[in-house]
Amino acid sequence: MNNLTHDLSQSLTTSFIDYRSESFEDYRPKLLVNNYKRGTKVLSYLTNELEICNEFYFSIAFITISGLNVLLSTLEKLEKDGIKGKIITTNYLNFNEPRALEKLLEFTNLEVKVYDVGNFHTKGYIFKKLDKHTNKEIYSLIVGSSNLTQEALTKNQEWNLKVTSLEHGELLRETFIEFNNIWEKSKSLTKEWIDEYAKSYKIVNYNIKEYSTIVDKERITPNSMQKEALLGLDELRKNNQSKGLLISATGTGKTYLSAFDVNNVKPRKMLFLVHREQILKQAEETFQNVLGHDIETGFLSGNSKDYDAKYLFSTVQMLSKDNVREKFGVDEFDFIIIDETHKAESISYKKIINYFKPKFLLGMTATPERTDGGDIYEIFDHNIAYEIRLQRAMEEDMLCPFHYFGVSELKIDGIEVDEKVDFKYLTSKTRVDNIIEKIDYYSYSGDRVKGLIFCSKTEEAKDLSEIFNQRGYQTIALCGEDNQEKRESAVEKLEQNNRDGGLDYIFTVDIFNEGIDIPCINQVVMLRPTKSSIIFIQQLGRGLRKYQDKEFVVVIDFIGNYENNFLIPIALSGDRSYNKDTVRRYVAEGNRIIPGCSTINFDKISKEKIYAAIDKANFSEVKIIKEEYFDLKNKLGRIPEIEDFEKFGEMEIIKFIDKFGSYYAFLKKYEKKEYLVNLSIIEEEIITYISQKFVKSKRIHELELINCLFKYSENVKSIYKESLKDSYNIILSDLEENSLINNSTNNFGKAEEQKKFSNCVLLNIVDNDYRLNKEFNELLKKSEFKEMIQELINYGIRRYKEIYMDRYKDTNFVLYQKYTYEDVCRLLNWDKNMNAQNIGGYFFDKKTHTMPVFINYVKDEGSIGYEDRFLSISKLIALSKHPRKISSKDAEHIYQANEEGTKIYLFVRKSKDDKDSKEFYFLGEINAVGEPNPIKMELTKDDAFEITYHLETSVREDIYDYLTT
C-alpha cells in the first residue's frame, strides 16, 4: 500500500470508525457550512479547490449572476491559466438567470451544457488536481445543498459533504458515470438557446427583501442596534439636551429608528423633513408601520398643504419659504426630525433650524464629515446619540451585499497610473480600455447598470465622461460647481428603469460622498486613491441601500501605488486596532470572515501593493494617532473620554497606551491649553502602570480586584473571589492568587520595570485579607485621580468582556486571540516576566508545570535553520532548542508531560520580522506524539531534535491558511 492510499485509508478510519484515530485532515470527509464567525464559508472551499485544480466539473441546478459574481476573480485566473471546466445546469423551474448563462459563455475555458428534459436538482462539484503532499493525481468531490448563488455559498444554512478520492474510487467512478450520462443527454449552451429561454424566463424573487422596509412587517420591532440608539436618545433627553445626532450607515433603517423614537416620546406634534418629495410617501409608510395606519399624517410639498396634520412630512424646499414657514408658530412642533442632516449647513435648512424651537431636534445622516468645511456636529451641540457602523450593519443584514474587487491600475509607457502621474495618462485610451473591460466583466445586479464613478480630479471626471459617451455609454460628470437642479436631474436619469434618455454612470469627484440617496445604484467604481477610511466607507455606502430587484452591488477599486492603501482593509474590516498583522490577515482571509453574502477580492498585484503599503506604514506614528484624536475631538466638541473611543472613534485607546504609556500622557503633551488635569509624578506613574499592566493584561483578575478594593474595606478577598466566580465563572486558584498579588505589588516585572514603577505597590495583605496599599489609598483621596483610575478599570472590564471572556478550558487564554511574551508569562501565573531570549522557542516553568511553545512560522533570511512546520490543521513538527539531545531534560519535559502533569500550549505568529506585530496567536493545548527525531542543525551542526505535536483543537481554517501560506 503506497503512502497516499494508506493516508486515505487512515482518514476514513478517523471519519467513520474512531475520531481519535490519527490521520491527515486534508483527506478526511468534511462537512462544509457557512459560519463567518468561525471563518468558514462554502465559497472559500470552492475557491480553494478551484485555485489548485487541473480540471473541474460542476453539476448545478441553479446559477445566478450573484453566484457567478462571487467567483469571478477565481474564474478569471482559471481562464488565464488554461484550466478547463465542464458545467451542467438546467432550465428547471425557469430559475436560472439568462444573464448568468450569458456570462458563462464568455469564458473560453468552459464547456457548458443544459439539461432540459426533466426535473434537475443536483448540486455537485468535482475537482481533479495533484495532491500537495505526494504530487499524485487525486480528486475532491463536494456534494450537498449549495447551488451557485451568493446566499448558498456565503450565508445560508447549507450542508455539503467534501470527500477525497483516488481515480479508481467507487464513489468517484459512480459520480462520473452519472455526470457523463447527464452530459450526453444535455444540450450545449448557446446564445440562441439563451435567447429562446429568456422568453419564458420568470423572475424568481428569492431572498430579495422589499426596499421599503428592512424589518419583518408581521412584527415590527427595533433590532439590537436600534435599541441601543434609542437608549442613547433617551439618555440625551434625561440630561436635558434638546438636540441629538444619529450617525447611521446608509440603508440601516434611520427612518424606522426615528419612528420608534417618536413612538416612545409621543409628541403632541411632529415634523419630518426630507430633501426630496419622492421620499415623503416612503417616510409616511414607515411611520404607519410602526405607529399604526390610523395615525393622522399629512404632507407639505408642492402638491399637498396639510398644515394641521399631527405627523407632518415636509420637503425642505417648501418649508424654507418664508410665507409657508411663518404659518407655524416657533413652538408648533414638539419633535422635529431632519433626514440627511449633512445638508443642514445650507441656507434653506438653516432657515428652518433657526426658526423652530422644538423640545427635541433629531438629525440623521450617514455622512456627517463634510468636504466643504461645514460642521454638522456643532449644529447639534455635538450630542451624538449613537453611531451605527458598517460591520455591525452587515452583521444585522441591514445592507445590500457588496462584492468588492480590488484591481491593479495599469502601467502605461512603463509608468503606473497613480495620484502623481501626468494628467494625460488618467484619460489615455489604454486606461479607458482597462476601466471598461473591468466594469463589463464584474458586471452588476439588475436589468441595467446604474453606476457611480469616483475620480481624483474634476478634469478627469469630465474628460472620462466625454470619452465614455463616445464609446456608447450614457454618462455625465457632476462636480462641486454644478447646481442642485443639474444634480437632481442627473440622479433621476440614473434611477429610471428605461435606459432610453437615462444615464449609465455619473462621474464625480467627491460631491456624492455626502449622503446622496440613490438606492438603485448597483455599481460603484473608484478611480482615486484611498486617503481616508471614512471617505472610502462613504463612497462604498452609496451602493449599500437595499432596493427591489437589486441582489448585490459591485464595487471596483482601481489600486495604484498609493501610500495609504493600507486604509482599504482597515475600512472594509472596521478594524480599530491598527495592528499590522490583523490588517494583513484581513487582506488574506477577509472573504471567510466578512458577515453575510458580501465578498472581498484583490487581484495578485493589488494585494502585493496593499501589503507593501502596510509594511511601509507606521501605525504608531504620532501623526496618525493625533489625526484620529483630533477627528474625534471635533466630532464631540470636547476632549474625548476613553469610552468615546469605543463608541465613536476610529482607533482603539490601546494605541495611545502603546505609544505614550497612557492616555493621560498623550493629553498632557498635545492638549496643553485645554487639558487642565495635573497629576503628581507618582500619580502619573500609577496611571501608566494600570494602563499597561491591568488594562492591557487580557485577564479580569487585577481589574476586578481594584473594583472590589474601591467598594469594600472588609472581607474583600471573600467578596472578590465570589465576584470572580459569579460574574466570570472563575474559581481563583492559589497560583492565580500568587500571580495577582505579584502583579498588584510590582513584583512580576523585569528588574528595570520594577525600578521604573517602584511606586506602584497597590495592594497590601492584612490578616489574610486584601487592602489598598496605604500610600496608594492616600493618593485616592484626590477625587480626580480616583476617577481616572475608575475610568481605566471600567474600560478594561468592558474590553475583557468583549474580547477575552470566552476562556479556553481553565486557562486565561482565548483561542485565536493574540498574546505577547509578557502576556503569556502573566496569564500562565509565572512569578516573573522573562526576557524573550531566555524563553527561546519554549520554556518549562517548574512551579506552574506549564510550557508555552512559541513559533515564528515564516523565518527571516538569516535564520539558523529551524524548520517548524504544520503537517495539517492538527499536527505540527517543531524543533527543540540547540544544542539538545533526545536524552536532555527538554525531551523529558515534553514527552513525559502527561505523567508530570505539565500543560504545553502553542503560540504561533506569522513572522518575527515585524516590529509592530509582536503577538502570537494562541492555538490551544498540544501534546507530543511518537518519539523525538534527532537531527543536526544545517548551519551550526548542533544536535537538536524534532517534536511532533498533536493539537487538541484543530486550527481554525482561516487562521491556518493565513499562517501557512
Side-chain angles (χ1 to χ4, degrees), residues 178-223:
E178 183 64 16
F179 182 93
N180 291 328
N181 181 41
I182 297 172
W183 182 263
E184 293 303 318
K185 295 178 181 177
S186 301
K187 297 177 180 176
S188 293
L189 183 68
T190 63
K191 183 66 170 64
E192 293 72 24
W193 189 95
I194 295 172
D195 290 342
E196 190 64 29
Y197 167 71
K199 296 176 184 177
S200 59
Y201 168 67
K202 297 176 182 177
I203 297 174
V204 179
N205 186 22
Y206 83 107
N207 205 30
I208 299 178
K209 297 182 178 64
E210 194 67 30
Y211 156 67
S212 61
T213 179
I214 59 160
V215 293
D216 183 353
K217 288 187 175 182
E218 295 299 316
R219 183 173 179 268
I220 299 175
T221 57
N223 61 37

Side-chain angles (χ1 to χ4, degrees), residues 11-12 21 35 80 139 141 222 234 245 253 256 267 352 360 363 384 511 536 541 558 674 681 776-777 804 823 847 886:
S11 75
L12 296 177
S21 174
N35 187 330
K80 287 179 180 177
Y139 291 80
L141 170 63
D234 280 341
L245 182 62
Y256 267 97
I352 300 169
F360 196 76
I384 303 172
I511 63 170
F536 179 92
F558 288 81
E674 291 187 41
I681 293 174
F776 179 43
N777 198 21
Y804 300 108
D823 292 332
K847 184 174 180 179
I886 62 172

Side-chain angles (χ1 to χ4, degrees), residues 749-775:
K750 301 168 189 174
E752 63 270 22
E753 282 207 314
Q754 290 191 29
K755 184 177 179 181
K756 177 182 176 181
F757 295 113
S758 60
N759 295 294
C760 296
V761 178
L762 311 181
L763 177 70
N764 279 346
I765 306 298
V766 179
D767 296 331
N768 197 34
D769 200 6
Y770 301 150
R771 294 286 185 273
L772 285 168
N773 174 270
K774 184 177 179 181
E775 289 79 8

Side-chain angles (χ1 to χ4, degrees), residues 62-64 91-98 194 196-206 447 549:
F62 299 147
I63 303 175
T64 62
N91 62 350
Y92 178 50
L93 299 181
N94 284 346
F95 181 93
N96 285 339
E97 296 177 71
I194 295 172
E196 190 64 29
Y197 167 71
K199 296 176 184 177
S200 59
Y201 168 67
K202 297 176 182 177
I203 297 174
V204 179
N205 186 22
Y206 83 107
D447 294 332
D549 297 335

Side-chain angles (χ1 to χ4, degrees), residues 14 77 154 162 199 215 312 367 448 498 504 556 583 633 642 693-695 697 740 747 778 818 855:
T14 304
K77 184 177 182 298
T154 61
K162 175 191 169 187
K199 296 176 184 177
V215 293
L312 182 63
T367 55
R448 75 177 191 89
N498 193 337
D504 301 318
I556 307 170
V583 178
K633 182 186 178 185
I642 288 176
K693 308 304 179 184
F694 288 15
V695 172
S697 73
L740 169 73
N747 282 312
E778 192 66 27
K818 294 188 287 186
I855 289 177

Side-chain angles (χ1 to χ4, degrees), residues 813-872:
F813 299 105
V814 177
L815 277 174
Y816 314 123
Q817 290 300 330
K818 294 188 287 186
Y819 300 89
T820 63
Y821 283 112
E822 181 178 348
D823 292 332
V824 174
C825 294
R826 179 185 292 110
L827 300 186
L828 287 176
N829 303 310
W830 291 2
D831 285 340
K832 297 290 181 185
N833 184 20
M834 294 184 62
N835 289 317
Q837 56 266 36
N838 292 340
I839 292 175
Y842 53 84
F843 188 85
F844 173 70
D845 182 70
K846 295 178 182 178
K847 184 174 180 179
T848 62
H849 272 265
T850 56
M851 177 185 281
V853 174
F854 297 95
I855 289 177
N856 298 297
Y857 202 79
V858 179
K859 312 302 181 198
D860 46 329
E861 291 184 9
S863 172
I864 53 176
Y866 275 67
E867 294 292 340
D868 306 307
R869 59 201 181 274
F870 277 104
L871 297 178
S872 69

Side-chain angles (χ1 to χ4, degrees), residues 253-457:
K254 294 188 293 291
T255 309
Y256 267 97
L257 176 53
S258 66
F260 291 131
D261 197 42
V262 167
N263 192 42
N264 290 343
V265 174
K266 295 181 171 52
R268 175 183 53 82
K269 199 170 182 182
M270 180 215 73
L271 171 66
F272 191 99
L273 281 170
V274 301
H275 66 289
R276 296 173 69 196
E277 190 166 343
Q278 299 94 308
I279 303 173
L280 288 176
K281 185 63 180 173
Q282 295 169 2
E284 180 201 41
E285 288 177 359
T286 297
F287 272 72
Q288 288 174 338
N289 286 338
V290 172
L291 302 172
H293 288 268
D294 56 348
I295 61 172
E296 181 193 342
T297 60
F299 298 127
L300 188 57
S301 65
N303 298 317
S304 301
K305 304 290 186 294
D306 302 323
Y307 295 111
D308 298 326
K310 180 178 179 179
Y311 296 100
L312 182 63
F313 298 85
S314 172
T315 62
V316 171
Q317 294 89 333
M318 182 58 62
L319 201 55
S320 64
K321 295 177 180 178
D322 295 345
N323 64 323
V324 174
R325 187 175 60 260
E326 290 169 5
K327 289 182 180 292
F328 300 99
V330 296
D331 59 354
E332 182 87 20
F333 301 101
D334 296 342
F335 202 125
I336 296 179
I337 301 164
I338 303 179
D339 194 20
E340 305 295 357
T341 304
H342 54 276
K343 299 175 182 288
E345 280 285 332
S346 67
I347 294 173
S348 56
Y349 276 80
K350 280 186 173 179
K351 281 184 178 182
I352 300 169
I353 292 172
N354 293 337
Y355 179 80
F356 288 108
K357 307 298 178 189
K359 291 180 180 177
F360 196 76
L361 176 66
L362 172 61
M364 305 188 300
T365 181
T367 55
E369 289 79 11
R370 303 284 295 166
T371 56
D372 58 9
D375 190 348
I376 302 304
Y377 300 113
E378 187 176 9
I379 293 173
F380 288 85
D381 299 338
H382 296 275
N383 292 329
I384 303 172
Y386 192 73
E387 183 168 356
I388 297 177
R389 296 177 181 270
L390 174 67
Q391 287 294 308
R392 184 80 183 277
M394 289 166 59
E395 290 172 5
E396 297 280 354
D397 193 27
M398 301 175 80
L399 304 177
C400 174
F402 65 86
H403 301 309
Y404 171 92
F405 298 94
V407 298
S408 178
E409 279 279 20
L410 288 177
K411 282 188 176 180
I412 304 172
D413 298 335
I415 299 172
E416 184 159 38
V417 177
D418 63 23
E419 56 195 319
K420 299 171 185 174
V421 77
D422 285 347
F423 182 76
K424 65 179 181 180
Y425 293 114
L426 294 178
T427 56
S428 67
K429 179 180 182 301
T430 305
R431 189 187 190 217
V432 171
D433 288 344
N434 185 50
I435 294 169
I436 289 175
E437 178 189 333
K438 298 303 182 187
I439 63 177
D440 286 350
Y441 180 76
Y442 292 116
S443 195
Y444 52 86
S445 173
D447 294 332
R448 75 177 191 89
V449 68
K450 299 174 183 180
L452 281 182
I453 300 180
F454 292 97
C455 302
S456 298
K457 301 177 177 69

